[in-house]
Amino acid sequence: MTIRPILIRGEPALARVAVPVIEFDDDLRRLIADLHETNTAANGAGLAANQIGDGRSVFVYDCPDDTGTRYRGHIVNPVLRTSEIPETMPDPDDDLEGCLSVPGEVFPTGRARWAAIDGFDGHGRPITVEGTGYFARCLQHETDHLAGKLYLERLVGRHARGAKRMLKRKGWTGPGHTWLPGDVPDPFGH
């Protein structure tokens, strides 16, 4: 297992739609192990393959739901289902979301309260994962990554404007930015 550098917003790989996995082999399982190792080192809730520069449709997760039950696993070729996504302005206290590819920044983001994903495990066996609250948010967030979208693209109003100013201030408007968990302080202060 290897801790991999995490790409920061502006890297083209983050904007590409993931390629469906067709070979469930040792190479895929090594990728999954590296994703878990990197996510753990970064204190992340989840990590998609394109965040470490791999174009395959796979992500890992390690986070709790509304009841405090912790979920840890992975899903390959995910297909997302959700309850209704609110159209109101996200709550600035309860709807905060961050991303390892936008290190150290959080913004209120509207998400469905329930989500389920159908897909496969690393051996090609069908699986379904579902959750509420924070876990549902994580499942939606990571599926967005595989569609080539960052959560910043879901921001509305003053939050979207604030994110644009932050990206310009940090210089994350083009390629050339990564961070390696363990080599730099945790950007979210965990």
Side-chain angles (χ1 to χ4, degrees):
M1 294 185 294
T2 304
I3 296 173
R4 304 272 224 35
I6 296 174
L7 304 180
I8 294 176
R9 197 281 190 180
E11 284 295 329
L14 294 171
R16 289 190 197 109
V17 175
V19 176
V21 171
I22 55 174
E23 292 194 31
F24 293 82
D25 55 10
D26 288 341
D27 185 53
L28 173 65
R29 289 184 285 279
R30 275 191 298 279
L31 169 63
I32 292 167
D34 287 356
L35 285 167
H36 274 296
E37 186 79 7
T38 304
N39 188 57
T40 298
N43 295 305
L47 187 65
N50 62 346
Q51 289 181 271
I52 62 169
D54 190 296
R56 288 176 278 185
S57 184
V58 58
F59 70 79
V60 299
Y61 53 87
D62 186 356
C63 62
D65 66 8
D66 278 350
T67 68
T69 302
R70 181 179 172 200
Y71 293 86
R72 185 177 191 277
H74 65 273
I75 194 148
V76 179
N77 298 340
V79 176
L80 177 69
R81 296 176 280 131
T82 68
S83 59
E84 187 175 341
I85 297 172
E87 293 184 22
T88 58
M89 186 65 97
D91 186 294
D93 296 318
D94 293 335
D95 293 331
L96 288 177
E97 191 164 322
C99 179
L100 296 175
S101 289
V102 188
E105 302 295 329
V106 295
F107 290 95
T109 309
R111 295 286 187 181
R113 299 289 303 150
W114 172 87
I117 291 188
D118 300 308
F120 302 90
D121 70 10
H123 295 279
R125 296 180 293 245
I127 56 174
T128 297
V129 178
E130 74 175 278
T132 58
Y134 187 64
F135 185 44
R137 179 176 295 277
C138 174
L139 295 175
Q140 293 167 79
H141 180 108
E142 299 309 326
T143 303
D144 274 356
H145 272 299
L146 298 179
K149 295 181 180 182
L150 292 178
Y151 84 105
L152 299 177
E153 296 173 49
R154 292 201 175 270
L155 301 180
V156 295
R158 68 182 180 275
H159 306 302
R161 291 187 299 276
K164 284 181 184 177
R165 286 191 300 274
M166 174 275 299
L167 291 171
K168 188 174 180 179
R169 185 177 68 250
K170 297 226 178 200
W172 294 342
T173 56
H177 303 281
T178 64
W179 70 283
L180 185 63
D183 273 8
V184 298
D186 182 333
F188 292 99
H190 297 113

